[in-house]
Amino acid sequence: MGGCGVSELGALKRSGVEQVTEMAENQSGSLMARLAEKLQSSWKTVVVAVPFLWLLIFFLAPFFMVLKISLAESVFAQPPYTPLVEWVSEGILAIRIVFDNFVFLWEDNLYLNTYLNSIKISSISTVLCLLVGYPIAYGIVRSSPTVRNIFLLMVILPFWTSFLLRVYAWMGLLADQGTINSLLIWLGIIDEPIRMLYTEFSVYVGIVYTYLPFMILPLYANMEKLDISLLEAAADLGAKPAVTFLTVTLPMTIPGIIAGSLLVFIPATGEYVIPDLLGGGNVQMIGRVLYNEFTANTDWPVASAVAIVLLLVLVLPMMLYQHIQSKESDS
Amino acid sequence: MKGEAVASSVNRPWLDPGQTPFIKIQGVTKSFGPFVAVDNVDLDIYQGELFALLGGSGCGKTTLLRMMAGFETPTSGRIVIDGIDMTDVPPYERPVNMMFQSYALFPHMTVEKNVAYGLKRDGLPKGEIDERVDAMLSMVELSSLSKRKPHQLSGGQRQRVALARSLVKKPKVLLLDEPLGALDKRLREQTQYELMDLQDRLGITFVVVTHDQEEAMTLSTRIAVMDAGSFMQIGTPTEIYEYPESRLVADFIGSTNMFEGIVHQQDEEHVIVKVAELDADIMIEHSAAAADGSKVWVAVRPEKIILSPSEPLNTDINVLRGVVDDIGYFGNSSTYRIRLENDLIVQVTHPNQSRPRDARHVAEWEDVVYLSWEPSSGVVLNK
């Protein structure tokens, strides 16, 4: 992306030289046309450059900073890591790259297990979101236009209150002395409170609750385009409703399922707040480990390495999705 | 049925009282809230017919078709197909298939899979499915495209896939919703004849919904003209065109000149209608179902009016004089708009049987011309 901008600049410079030679040859008529064309193409470059610049400043630069720190060593200093480039003595520049942090992540089972546990929790949460979100999205698409807008509003409504507040609300609901347990005891259904808070269960509740809209909205957008006459055609050809669903509706909504699943899976894997507040110390997820490395251990290089590996874990499914999509649009 | 010769009941089963209708629609009403889409209609369609439901948008023709397919349930009334009451049978259990206006091909399946879909639902053995799909695809000349997906086909090819898919199950009735609507004119004409030929070969009863009167006229054995949820008239294309029963039908099918008048005189074979706006009498050669002095309309088709530059010598009945106001040249014929002395416009269609000499047609702009027609050409309408 950066390369593209640079080569365009090169082209512009070259065109300047050409202009001079052309003026010398006195071809002013075609020159005006060429100039207009160049101006237009450079304007296009400017338009495209804005998102590239944004990504460069706010994504690529921080990424390289984190990458740099992950290749350093932890020291008791300010900042708490060794510099990448250093003047050793007069006139000698040393570049110090250390892969110890990545090796450490591999050798210490804690990290591998935490990654696996994070992926397990986010995978199960994604499936749960899909199981809950799919019928909701389908119901919204099939309802009348006025009801549909109310439902959609209700899906988006939680975003209008603070995320933290909502997680704290769940703590109040799920705690041993919380609303749900008190209600069940009062009703005489249980004698002892059921332990829900600070278990994997509460983490699942939190993640599914928080990320459900990210599943419903892409599914809704996908299902809205589903032509009802396709379902009628299936019924007309002898397919019972369940068969119509399996042979027409489900295959046609796969793009929505993939989009929604990625939107849930990716942020859920790196989730920090939910496992910290609802899981307590009992549910290890990589986001918490990363946070602890940064704050409690002040080991910025290891924390950075954790972040880099997490990024790789998340980028892979994304690339897979891109690959499938481009293959689909080819066929 | 006026004027029709006694027909053989093989081609015209509806004339034979001994025939049992294949599709029987009895007092069917469908309302959506306060809106009545189909209003208490009765209709008999016979085996092997190519029946057209013709009408403008919102007349209820598609709703009626969808009730036959089972996508809508009648608010009241019954639909019987081949002796079995289908009113509450779901679409997937009806011996009826539909070709959708949008074709509704499954975009994620190949042509082959689309056509095989219905047979698979019946649980037929794979060998038989393949055989029947192949036979059907070769019939619609799509064998070479069987592995393509719908989006890789042209409009005409998609239409043929949809047709193959709806015919492969050998339904008792094929319902077609605007089957030719999405095709261009040339392809439409060609497909029209292919459809008729196919229907003839397979002997399946076709019910076609269309808003295109030309399509309905050429395709069908009988037409039901619909308006506001009711049938205005049911009959063969000739009956509908030549003997419309109301102004609405006369206006909807083809174009027509309509004169309002009062029944002046009538006997067994003739009616004379006094038309105030023409300040003349029109003679029609059949009896009107109206009393003397009652208000009626006389419809005369443009192609039944003779256009001549000089006054007709042999008759003074049904003769009008006017000036050519406009000419529409269609190649095979021309339509002349003649302005009468009282500024009334009469349309006349004249076939271009010979090449014009010196690029001159039978009449040119601003020519004074005479219009005349046979007493048998007009139709008296009282509604």
Side-chain angles (χ1 to χ4, degrees):
Chain A
M1 13 179 155
C4 168
V6 170
S7 72
E8 279 293 337
L9 276 175
L12 274 177
K13 271 185 198 154
R14 244 197 333 279
S15 78
V17 179
E18 278 166 11
Q19 276 169 37
V20 176
T21 48
E22 269 178 355
M23 267 199 239
E25 286 165 20
N26 211 2
Q27 291 177 326
S28 57
S30 74
L31 177 74
M32 288 307 285
R34 284 187 61 122
L35 204 65
E37 205 174 287
K38 287 284 187 224
L39 264 173
Q40 204 176 14
S41 85
S42 61
W43 175 242
K44 270 184 199 161
T45 314
V46 169
V47 170
V48 177
V50 172
F52 279 149
L53 214 63
W54 178 276
L55 283 173
L56 194 74
I57 295 171
F58 294 105
F59 174 74
L60 218 55
F63 171 77
F64 279 115
M65 278 153 85
V66 172
L67 186 66
K68 187 193 98 168
I69 298 170
S70 77
L71 295 171
E73 273 178 310
S74 177
V75 289
F76 197 74
Q78 190 68 261
Y81 53 88
T82 53
L84 182 71
V85 183
E86 205 175 10
W87 291 104
V88 182
S89 57
E90 261 175 62
I92 299 172
L93 198 66
I95 297 175
R96 186 205 296 263
I97 292 176
V98 184
F99 288 100
D100 286 5
N101 303 313
F102 290 95
V103 176
F104 175 66
L105 290 189
W106 179 249
E107 281 174 345
D108 192 331
N109 276 340
L110 167 81
Y111 298 100
L112 185 66
N113 288 339
T114 314
Y115 276 119
L116 290 177
N117 201 42
S118 298
I119 289 169
K120 185 196 91 182
I121 289 175
S122 60
S123 302
I124 292 173
S125 304
T126 306
V127 172
L128 290 174
C129 276
L130 183 62
L131 290 178
V132 178
Y134 198 95
I136 293 178
Y138 196 77
I140 295 175
V141 168
R142 283 312 185 78
S143 52
S144 70
T146 36
V147 179
R148 189 186 305 168
N149 285 335
I150 293 169
F151 277 144
L152 278 177
L153 192 73
M154 282 164 70
V155 170
I156 306 165
L157 206 62
F159 291 128
W160 294 356
T161 33
S162 155
F163 164 63
L164 267 178
L165 213 63
R166 284 180 284 136
V167 176
Y168 275 119
W170 275 110
M171 290 175 75
L173 286 169
L174 297 172
D176 289 358
Q177 265 71 49
T179 317
I180 294 173
N181 272 319
S182 307
L183 189 71
L184 289 177
I185 290 171
W186 181 75
L187 286 170
I189 297 170
I190 51 169
D191 299 324
E192 293 271 293
I194 304 168
R195 187 155 179 79
M196 292 184 284
L197 191 61
Y198 306 133
T199 62
E200 274 201 358
F201 170 76
S202 56
V203 174
Y204 283 125
V205 168
I207 292 179
V208 171
Y209 164 78
T210 307
Y211 290 104
L212 194 58
F214 296 103
M215 180 62 86
I216 292 175
L217 293 176
L219 275 174
Y220 169 82
N222 177 235
M223 286 174 182
E224 208 195 9
K225 288 184 282 179
L226 184 68
D227 185 1
I228 302 294
S229 69
L230 292 180
L231 308 183
E232 286 180 346
D236 185 64
L237 292 165
K240 291 189 174 64
V243 178
T244 302
F245 177 77
L246 290 175
T247 54
V248 180
T249 313
L250 199 60
M252 299 278 313
T253 48
I254 283 175
I257 293 174
I258 292 176
S261 298
L262 282 176
L263 281 180
V264 173
F265 178 79
I266 290 172
T269 309
E271 183 56 55
Y272 160 70
V273 174
I274 295 169
D276 195 58
L277 293 181
L278 295 176
N282 305 321
V283 182
Q284 278 300 335
M285 283 186 76
I286 204 66
R288 282 194 71 221
V289 170
L290 198 151
Y291 180 79
N292 286 340
E293 292 294 351
F294 256 112
T295 53
N297 294 353
T298 344
D299 194 341
W300 288 26
V302 166
S304 300
V306 168
I308 295 287
V309 173
L310 179 64
L311 187 77
L312 290 179
V313 167
L314 295 177
V315 159
L316 284 177
M318 197 71 198
M319 281 167 66
L320 194 74
Y321 175 60
Q322 287 275 331
H323 179 68
I324 291 168
Q325 270 215 324
S326 64
K327 229 170 74 176
E328 232 167 58
S329 57
D330 280 349
S331 68
Chain B
M1 260 128 278
K2 305 149 200 161
E4 292 273 317
V6 177
S8 73
S9 59
V10 178
N11 290 332
R12 301 179 178 193
W14 54 91
L15 296 180
D16 182 356
Q19 282 269 349
T20 330
F22 196 63
I23 305 172
K24 224 173 157 43
I25 292 168
Q26 294 174 319
V28 165
T29 297
K30 177 70 189 179
S31 15
F32 298 101
F35 175 71
V36 182
V38 174
D39 193 2
N40 191 23
V41 299
D42 293 287
L43 178 66
D44 289 343
I45 299 174
Y46 293 85
Q47 172 114 49
E49 266 203 87
L50 209 165
F51 195 93
L53 296 169
L54 176 65
S57 58
C59 72
K61 57 188 193 304
T62 303
T63 307
L64 188 57
L65 192 81
R66 288 172 60 78
M67 282 192 280
M68 292 188 219
F71 301 136
E72 310 282 356
T73 316
T75 311
S76 63
R78 292 201 315 147
I79 295 174
V80 179
I81 297 173
D82 197 15
I84 303 162
D85 191 338
M86 287 287 162
T87 317
D88 298 313
V89 176
Y92 48 87
E93 282 169 11
R94 292 192 185 204
V96 165
N97 283 132
M98 178 147 156
M99 199 183 116
F100 289 80
Q101 183 174 11
S102 62
Y103 307 145
L105 299 178
F106 303 124
H108 58 297
M109 295 181 198
T110 60
V111 167
E112 206 172 45
K113 292 237 171 75
N114 262 286
V115 177
Y117 189 89
L119 298 174
K120 269 192 198 150
R121 301 290 84 81
D122 287 353
L124 295 178
K126 200 184 172 302
E128 194 189 335
I129 293 179
D130 290 347
E131 217 170 277
R132 280 170 71 172
V133 169
D134 285 349
M136 191 48 75
L137 284 179
S138 71
M139 194 179 85
V140 296
E141 290 164 21
L142 282 174
S143 302
S144 58
L145 303 176
S146 64
K147 303 284 183 216
R148 295 239 183 125
K149 293 249 181 98
H151 69 92
Q152 296 165 314
L153 302 176
S154 72
Q157 290 165 342
R158 264 181 242 168
Q159 193 255 8
R160 299 217 298 278
V161 177
L163 189 64
R165 189 180 68 177
S166 55
L167 278 173
V168 77
K169 288 188 80 174
K170 297 182 185 147
K172 287 180 176 170
V173 180
L174 180 68
L175 308 171
L176 302 104
D177 189 1
E178 305 273 1
L180 311 174
L183 305 179
D184 61 57
K185 194 167 182 290
R186 179 180 281 274
L187 201 56
R188 196 159 63 214
E189 276 170 8
Q190 184 198 333
T191 314
Q192 234 166 46
Y193 290 107
E194 279 174 11
L195 265 185
M196 287 160 74
D197 183 48
L198 202 68
Q199 197 269 343
D200 208 35
R201 260 193 294 162
L202 300 171
I204 295 173
T205 308
F206 279 28
V207 181
V208 181
V209 153
T210 180
H211 70 276
D212 183 338
Q213 45 117 348
E214 246 177 75
E215 192 175 306
M217 300 276 285
T218 40
L219 273 178
S220 44
T221 50
R222 284 195 301 159
I223 299 172
V225 183
M226 279 188 89
D227 184 58
S230 306
F231 294 135
M232 302 311 291
Q233 190 172 351
I234 301 169
T236 63
T238 319
E239 284 164 10
I240 301 269
Y241 188 79
E242 300 292 349
Y243 304 96
E245 285 169 2
S246 60
R247 280 182 297 153
L248 198 135
V249 173
D251 254 341
F252 191 75
I253 312 283
S255 44
T256 195
N257 295 296
M258 199 76 74
F259 305 105
E260 189 182 322
I262 334 172
V263 178
H264 181 57
Q265 224 181 312
Q266 57 182 321
D267 58 33
E268 293 285 292
E269 283 166 358
H270 295 92
V271 189
I272 292 174
V273 176
K274 206 175 216 16
V275 179
E277 55 188 358
L278 292 178
D279 195 21
D281 291 351
I282 296 178
M283 187 196 255
I284 302 104
E285 203 183 68
H286 72 83
S287 52
D292 280 8
S294 63
K295 189 168 146 187
V296 290
W297 290 268
V298 179
V300 187
R301 296 284 185 196
E303 74 278 4
K304 298 215 163 40
I305 300 176
I306 299 157
L307 183 78
S308 60
S310 54
E311 197 166 357
L313 298 172
N314 49 354
T315 181
D316 58 350
I317 308 164
N318 301 344
V319 177
L320 299 171
R321 185 172 176 273
V323 173
V324 177
D325 195 55
D326 233 330
I327 305 175
Y329 179 65
F330 295 106
N332 59 346
S333 66
S334 297
T335 294
Y336 297 83
R337 287 166 65 85
I338 311 298
R339 184 185 297 279
L340 305 182
E341 269 141 20
N342 56 2
D343 272 357
L344 211 72
I345 298 282
V346 177
Q347 264 198 51
V348 183
T349 307
H350 190 83
N352 294 327
Q353 279 178 319
S354 53
R355 281 202 184 147
R357 283 202 190 95
D358 312 324
R360 245 194 88 86
H361 293 277
V362 65
E364 289 294 334
W365 278 271
E366 303 303 329
D367 282 1
V368 174
V369 289
Y370 291 85
L371 310 175
S372 61
W373 64 90
E374 295 288 315
S376 61
S377 295
V379 184
V380 178
L381 306 168
N382 55 13
K383 59 182 177 194

